[in-house]
Short mmCIF file of all heavy atoms in Angstrom, two decimals:
data_model
loop_
_atom_site.label_atom_id
_atom_site.label_comp_id
_atom_site.label_asym_id
_atom_site.label_seq_id
_atom_site.Cartn_x
_atom_site.Cartn_y
_atom_site.Cartn_z
N VAL I 1 -56.71 22.23 -50.78
CA VAL I 1 -56.27 23.47 -51.42
C VAL I 1 -56.02 23.21 -52.90
O VAL I 1 -56.42 24.00 -53.76
CB VAL I 1 -55.01 24.04 -50.74
CG1 VAL I 1 -54.51 25.27 -51.49
CG2 VAL I 1 -55.28 24.37 -49.28
N ALA I 2 -55.34 22.11 -53.21
CA ALA I 2 -55.05 21.77 -54.60
C ALA I 2 -56.33 21.58 -55.41
O ALA I 2 -56.44 22.04 -56.55
CB ALA I 2 -54.19 20.51 -54.66
N VAL I 3 -57.33 20.91 -54.83
CA VAL I 3 -58.60 20.68 -55.53
C VAL I 3 -59.32 22.00 -55.76
O VAL I 3 -59.83 22.27 -56.86
CB VAL I 3 -59.48 19.69 -54.75
CG1 VAL I 3 -60.87 19.62 -55.38
CG2 VAL I 3 -58.85 18.31 -54.73
N ARG I 4 -59.38 22.86 -54.75
CA ARG I 4 -60.04 24.16 -54.91
C ARG I 4 -59.35 24.99 -55.98
O ARG I 4 -60.00 25.63 -56.82
CB ARG I 4 -60.04 24.93 -53.58
CG ARG I 4 -61.05 24.40 -52.56
CD ARG I 4 -60.87 25.09 -51.21
NE ARG I 4 -61.86 24.65 -50.23
CZ ARG I 4 -62.84 25.40 -49.75
NH1 ARG I 4 -62.97 26.66 -50.15
NH2 ARG I 4 -63.70 24.92 -48.86
N GLN I 5 -58.04 25.00 -55.97
CA GLN I 5 -57.30 25.78 -56.96
C GLN I 5 -57.47 25.19 -58.35
O GLN I 5 -57.57 25.93 -59.34
CB GLN I 5 -55.82 25.85 -56.58
CG GLN I 5 -55.51 26.72 -55.38
CD GLN I 5 -55.78 28.19 -55.63
OE1 GLN I 5 -55.73 28.67 -56.76
NE2 GLN I 5 -56.07 28.93 -54.57
N ALA I 6 -57.54 23.86 -58.45
CA ALA I 6 -57.75 23.23 -59.75
C ALA I 6 -59.12 23.59 -60.30
O ALA I 6 -59.27 23.90 -61.49
CB ALA I 6 -57.60 21.72 -59.63
N LYS I 7 -60.13 23.57 -59.45
CA LYS I 7 -61.47 23.94 -59.91
C LYS I 7 -61.48 25.39 -60.39
O LYS I 7 -62.07 25.69 -61.44
CB LYS I 7 -62.51 23.74 -58.80
CG LYS I 7 -63.89 24.23 -59.22
CD LYS I 7 -65.01 23.81 -58.32
CE LYS I 7 -66.33 24.38 -58.81
NZ LYS I 7 -67.51 23.92 -58.07
N LYS I 8 -60.86 26.27 -59.64
CA LYS I 8 -60.83 27.68 -60.02
C LYS I 8 -60.10 27.87 -61.36
O LYS I 8 -60.57 28.61 -62.23
CB LYS I 8 -60.14 28.50 -58.93
CG LYS I 8 -60.15 29.99 -59.18
CD LYS I 8 -59.29 30.73 -58.15
CE LYS I 8 -59.82 30.58 -56.75
NZ LYS I 8 -59.04 31.38 -55.77
N ALA I 9 -58.97 27.20 -61.52
CA ALA I 9 -58.19 27.34 -62.75
C ALA I 9 -58.96 26.83 -63.96
O ALA I 9 -58.95 27.44 -65.03
CB ALA I 9 -56.86 26.60 -62.62
N ILE I 10 -59.66 25.70 -63.80
CA ILE I 10 -60.44 25.16 -64.90
C ILE I 10 -61.61 26.09 -65.23
O ILE I 10 -61.87 26.40 -66.41
CB ILE I 10 -60.96 23.75 -64.55
CG1 ILE I 10 -59.80 22.76 -64.44
CG2 ILE I 10 -61.96 23.27 -65.61
CD1 ILE I 10 -60.19 21.43 -63.82
N ALA I 11 -62.31 26.55 -64.20
CA ALA I 11 -63.50 27.38 -64.41
C ALA I 11 -63.17 28.68 -65.13
O ALA I 11 -63.81 29.05 -66.11
CB ALA I 11 -64.18 27.66 -63.08
N TYR I 12 -62.17 29.38 -64.64
CA TYR I 12 -61.84 30.68 -65.22
C TYR I 12 -60.95 30.54 -66.45
O TYR I 12 -61.05 31.34 -67.39
CB TYR I 12 -61.19 31.58 -64.17
CG TYR I 12 -62.16 32.02 -63.11
CD1 TYR I 12 -62.19 31.41 -61.86
CD2 TYR I 12 -63.09 33.03 -63.35
CE1 TYR I 12 -63.10 31.80 -60.88
CE2 TYR I 12 -64.00 33.42 -62.39
CZ TYR I 12 -64.00 32.81 -61.16
OH TYR I 12 -64.92 33.18 -60.20
N GLY I 13 -60.12 29.52 -66.47
CA GLY I 13 -59.26 29.32 -67.63
C GLY I 13 -60.03 28.97 -68.88
O GLY I 13 -59.65 29.36 -70.00
N SER I 14 -61.14 28.25 -68.72
CA SER I 14 -61.92 27.85 -69.89
C SER I 14 -62.68 29.02 -70.50
O SER I 14 -63.22 28.90 -71.61
CB SER I 14 -62.91 26.75 -69.51
OG SER I 14 -63.84 27.22 -68.55
N GLU I 15 -62.74 30.14 -69.80
CA GLU I 15 -63.47 31.32 -70.28
C GLU I 15 -62.57 32.38 -70.88
O GLU I 15 -63.02 33.49 -71.18
CB GLU I 15 -64.29 31.93 -69.13
CG GLU I 15 -65.28 30.97 -68.49
CD GLU I 15 -66.27 30.42 -69.49
OE1 GLU I 15 -66.70 31.18 -70.38
OE2 GLU I 15 -66.59 29.22 -69.40
N THR I 16 -61.29 32.07 -71.06
CA THR I 16 -60.37 33.08 -71.59
C THR I 16 -59.45 32.45 -72.63
O THR I 16 -59.57 31.27 -72.95
CB THR I 16 -59.57 33.71 -70.44
OG1 THR I 16 -58.82 34.82 -70.94
CG2 THR I 16 -58.63 32.71 -69.79
N ASP I 17 -58.53 33.23 -73.17
CA ASP I 17 -57.60 32.69 -74.16
C ASP I 17 -56.57 31.80 -73.47
O ASP I 17 -56.36 31.88 -72.25
CB ASP I 17 -56.90 33.84 -74.90
CG ASP I 17 -56.07 34.68 -73.97
OD1 ASP I 17 -56.63 35.62 -73.34
OD2 ASP I 17 -54.86 34.42 -73.82
N LEU I 18 -55.91 30.95 -74.25
CA LEU I 18 -55.02 29.95 -73.69
C LEU I 18 -53.85 30.57 -72.93
O LEU I 18 -53.46 30.08 -71.86
CB LEU I 18 -54.51 29.02 -74.79
CG LEU I 18 -53.58 27.89 -74.34
CD1 LEU I 18 -54.26 27.01 -73.29
CD2 LEU I 18 -53.16 27.04 -75.54
N GLU I 19 -53.26 31.64 -73.46
CA GLU I 19 -52.10 32.24 -72.79
C GLU I 19 -52.50 32.77 -71.41
O GLU I 19 -51.79 32.55 -70.42
CB GLU I 19 -51.52 33.38 -73.63
CG GLU I 19 -50.25 33.98 -73.02
CD GLU I 19 -49.59 35.00 -73.94
OE1 GLU I 19 -50.05 35.13 -75.10
OE2 GLU I 19 -48.63 35.65 -73.50
N THR I 20 -53.63 33.46 -71.34
CA THR I 20 -54.11 33.95 -70.05
C THR I 20 -54.44 32.79 -69.13
O THR I 20 -54.16 32.83 -67.92
CB THR I 20 -55.35 34.84 -70.24
OG1 THR I 20 -55.03 35.91 -71.12
CG2 THR I 20 -55.83 35.39 -68.91
N ALA I 21 -55.05 31.73 -69.69
CA ALA I 21 -55.39 30.56 -68.88
C ALA I 21 -54.14 29.91 -68.29
O ALA I 21 -54.15 29.45 -67.14
CB ALA I 21 -56.16 29.55 -69.73
N MET I 22 -53.07 29.86 -69.06
CA MET I 22 -51.82 29.30 -68.54
C MET I 22 -51.28 30.14 -67.39
O MET I 22 -50.75 29.60 -66.40
CB MET I 22 -50.79 29.20 -69.66
CG MET I 22 -51.14 28.18 -70.74
SD MET I 22 -51.16 26.47 -70.12
CE MET I 22 -49.39 26.20 -69.88
N ILE I 23 -51.42 31.45 -67.49
CA ILE I 23 -50.99 32.33 -66.40
C ILE I 23 -51.82 32.06 -65.15
O ILE I 23 -51.30 31.98 -64.03
CB ILE I 23 -51.09 33.80 -66.83
CG1 ILE I 23 -50.08 34.10 -67.93
CG2 ILE I 23 -50.88 34.73 -65.63
CD1 ILE I 23 -50.25 35.46 -68.58
N LEU I 24 -53.14 31.90 -65.33
CA LEU I 24 -54.02 31.58 -64.20
C LEU I 24 -53.61 30.25 -63.56
O LEU I 24 -53.62 30.11 -62.33
CB LEU I 24 -55.47 31.51 -64.65
CG LEU I 24 -56.12 32.82 -65.09
CD1 LEU I 24 -57.52 32.55 -65.67
CD2 LEU I 24 -56.23 33.78 -63.92
N ALA I 25 -53.26 29.28 -64.38
CA ALA I 25 -52.87 27.97 -63.87
C ALA I 25 -51.57 28.06 -63.07
O ALA I 25 -51.42 27.41 -62.02
CB ALA I 25 -52.71 26.97 -65.02
N ILE I 26 -50.63 28.87 -63.54
CA ILE I 26 -49.38 29.05 -62.80
C ILE I 26 -49.63 29.73 -61.47
O ILE I 26 -49.03 29.37 -60.43
CB ILE I 26 -48.37 29.84 -63.66
CG1 ILE I 26 -47.92 28.99 -64.86
CG2 ILE I 26 -47.16 30.26 -62.83
CD1 ILE I 26 -47.16 29.75 -65.91
N GLU I 27 -50.53 30.71 -61.46
CA GLU I 27 -50.88 31.36 -60.20
C GLU I 27 -51.51 30.38 -59.23
O GLU I 27 -51.23 30.40 -58.02
CB GLU I 27 -51.82 32.53 -60.46
CG GLU I 27 -51.16 33.71 -61.16
CD GLU I 27 -52.12 34.85 -61.41
OE1 GLU I 27 -53.34 34.66 -61.18
OE2 GLU I 27 -51.66 35.93 -61.83
N ALA I 28 -52.35 29.48 -59.75
CA ALA I 28 -52.97 28.46 -58.90
C ALA I 28 -51.91 27.50 -58.37
O ALA I 28 -51.95 27.09 -57.20
CB ALA I 28 -54.03 27.70 -59.68
N TYR I 29 -50.96 27.16 -59.21
CA TYR I 29 -49.85 26.31 -58.78
C TYR I 29 -49.07 26.98 -57.65
O TYR I 29 -48.77 26.36 -56.62
CB TYR I 29 -48.93 26.01 -59.95
CG TYR I 29 -47.63 25.32 -59.54
CD1 TYR I 29 -47.59 23.94 -59.41
CD2 TYR I 29 -46.47 26.05 -59.28
CE1 TYR I 29 -46.43 23.30 -59.01
CE2 TYR I 29 -45.31 25.43 -58.89
CZ TYR I 29 -45.29 24.05 -58.75
OH TYR I 29 -44.12 23.43 -58.36
N ASN I 30 -48.74 28.23 -57.84
CA ASN I 30 -47.96 28.95 -56.83
C ASN I 30 -48.71 29.08 -55.51
O ASN I 30 -48.11 29.04 -54.43
CB ASN I 30 -47.56 30.33 -57.36
CG ASN I 30 -46.50 30.25 -58.44
OD1 ASN I 30 -45.71 29.30 -58.49
ND2 ASN I 30 -46.47 31.23 -59.33
N ALA I 31 -50.03 29.23 -55.59
CA ALA I 31 -50.83 29.31 -54.37
C ALA I 31 -50.88 27.97 -53.64
O ALA I 31 -51.06 27.93 -52.42
CB ALA I 31 -52.25 29.77 -54.70
N THR I 32 -50.71 26.89 -54.37
CA THR I 32 -50.77 25.55 -53.79
C THR I 32 -49.43 25.09 -53.24
O THR I 32 -49.34 24.45 -52.19
CB THR I 32 -51.27 24.54 -54.84
OG1 THR I 32 -52.52 24.98 -55.38
CG2 THR I 32 -51.43 23.16 -54.25
N VAL I 33 -48.36 25.43 -53.93
CA VAL I 33 -47.06 24.86 -53.62
C VAL I 33 -46.49 25.36 -52.30
O VAL I 33 -45.59 24.74 -51.72
CB VAL I 33 -46.08 25.12 -54.80
CG1 VAL I 33 -45.55 26.55 -54.77
CG2 VAL I 33 -44.96 24.10 -54.81
N VAL I 34 -46.99 26.48 -51.79
CA VAL I 34 -46.47 27.03 -50.53
C VAL I 34 -47.24 26.53 -49.31
O VAL I 34 -46.99 26.96 -48.20
CB VAL I 34 -46.51 28.57 -50.55
CG1 VAL I 34 -45.58 29.13 -51.62
CG2 VAL I 34 -47.93 29.08 -50.77
N THR I 35 -48.18 25.59 -49.50
CA THR I 35 -49.02 25.16 -48.40
C THR I 35 -48.39 24.04 -47.58
O THR I 35 -47.50 23.31 -48.06
CB THR I 35 -50.38 24.66 -48.92
OG1 THR I 35 -50.17 23.52 -49.78
CG2 THR I 35 -51.10 25.75 -49.69
N GLU I 36 -48.87 23.89 -46.36
CA GLU I 36 -48.46 22.77 -45.52
C GLU I 36 -48.88 21.44 -46.15
O GLU I 36 -48.18 20.42 -45.99
CB GLU I 36 -49.09 22.89 -44.13
CG GLU I 36 -48.61 24.09 -43.33
CD GLU I 36 -49.32 24.22 -42.00
OE1 GLU I 36 -49.95 23.23 -41.56
OE2 GLU I 36 -49.26 25.31 -41.39
N ASP I 37 -50.01 21.44 -46.85
CA ASP I 37 -50.48 20.22 -47.49
C ASP I 37 -49.49 19.71 -48.53
O ASP I 37 -49.30 18.49 -48.68
CB ASP I 37 -51.83 20.46 -48.17
CG ASP I 37 -53.00 20.39 -47.18
OD1 ASP I 37 -52.76 20.07 -46.01
OD2 ASP I 37 -54.14 20.68 -47.60
N ARG I 38 -48.87 20.62 -49.27
CA ARG I 38 -47.88 20.18 -50.26
C ARG I 38 -46.71 19.49 -49.56
O ARG I 38 -46.24 18.43 -49.98
CB ARG I 38 -47.40 21.37 -51.08
CG ARG I 38 -46.51 20.97 -52.28
CD ARG I 38 -45.03 20.98 -51.96
NE ARG I 38 -44.58 22.30 -51.56
CZ ARG I 38 -43.35 22.55 -51.10
NH1 ARG I 38 -42.46 21.56 -50.96
NH2 ARG I 38 -42.98 23.77 -50.74
N LEU I 39 -46.24 20.07 -48.46
CA LEU I 39 -45.15 19.45 -47.70
C LEU I 39 -45.57 18.08 -47.17
O LEU I 39 -44.80 17.11 -47.23
CB LEU I 39 -44.75 20.35 -46.53
CG LEU I 39 -44.14 21.71 -46.90
CD1 LEU I 39 -43.96 22.56 -45.65
CD2 LEU I 39 -42.82 21.52 -47.63
N GLU I 40 -46.81 17.99 -46.66
CA GLU I 40 -47.31 16.73 -46.13
C GLU I 40 -47.44 15.69 -47.24
O GLU I 40 -47.10 14.51 -47.04
CB GLU I 40 -48.67 16.94 -45.46
CG GLU I 40 -49.48 15.70 -45.19
CD GLU I 40 -48.82 14.72 -44.23
OE1 GLU I 40 -47.79 15.07 -43.60
OE2 GLU I 40 -49.33 13.59 -44.10
N GLY I 41 -47.89 16.09 -48.43
CA GLY I 41 -48.04 15.15 -49.52
C GLY I 41 -46.73 14.55 -49.96
O GLY I 41 -46.62 13.33 -50.16
N VAL I 42 -45.70 15.39 -50.08
CA VAL I 42 -44.37 14.90 -50.48
C VAL I 42 -43.78 14.02 -49.39
O VAL I 42 -43.19 12.96 -49.66
CB VAL I 42 -43.44 16.09 -50.79
CG1 VAL I 42 -42.02 15.60 -51.06
CG2 VAL I 42 -43.96 16.87 -52.00
N ARG I 43 -43.97 14.43 -48.14
CA ARG I 43 -43.45 13.66 -47.01
C ARG I 43 -44.12 12.29 -46.95
O ARG I 43 -43.45 11.26 -46.76
CB ARG I 43 -43.68 14.43 -45.72
CG ARG I 43 -43.07 13.80 -44.48
CD ARG I 43 -42.97 14.80 -43.33
NE ARG I 43 -44.23 15.51 -43.12
CZ ARG I 43 -44.38 16.84 -43.25
NH1 ARG I 43 -43.35 17.60 -43.58
NH2 ARG I 43 -45.54 17.41 -43.04
#
């Protein structure tokens, strides 16, 4: 999930202004942080 979200954030973020790109990155972070994988990684 983290890799997919990172690819999406890089792809779309590079095509827009930095402030919008940062918002996209935060959205990708939020989509990743609620996953079971994040819990498993920390554990």
Side-chain angles (χ1 to χ4, degrees):
V1 176
V3 171
R4 285 172 178 249
Q5 289 293 333
K7 175 168 179 174
K8 184 188 297 184
I10 293 168
Y12 290 101
S14 63
E15 302 302 322
T16 188
D17 63 275
L18 181 57
E19 184 174 353
T20 303
M22 292 295 288
I23 293 170
L24 292 173
I26 292 168
E27 290 180 351
Y29 171 85
N30 288 333
T32 305
V33 79
V34 296
T35 62
E36 295 177 17
D37 279 355
R38 188 267 299 174
L39 295 173
E40 165 63 9
V42 174
R43 185 163 49 241

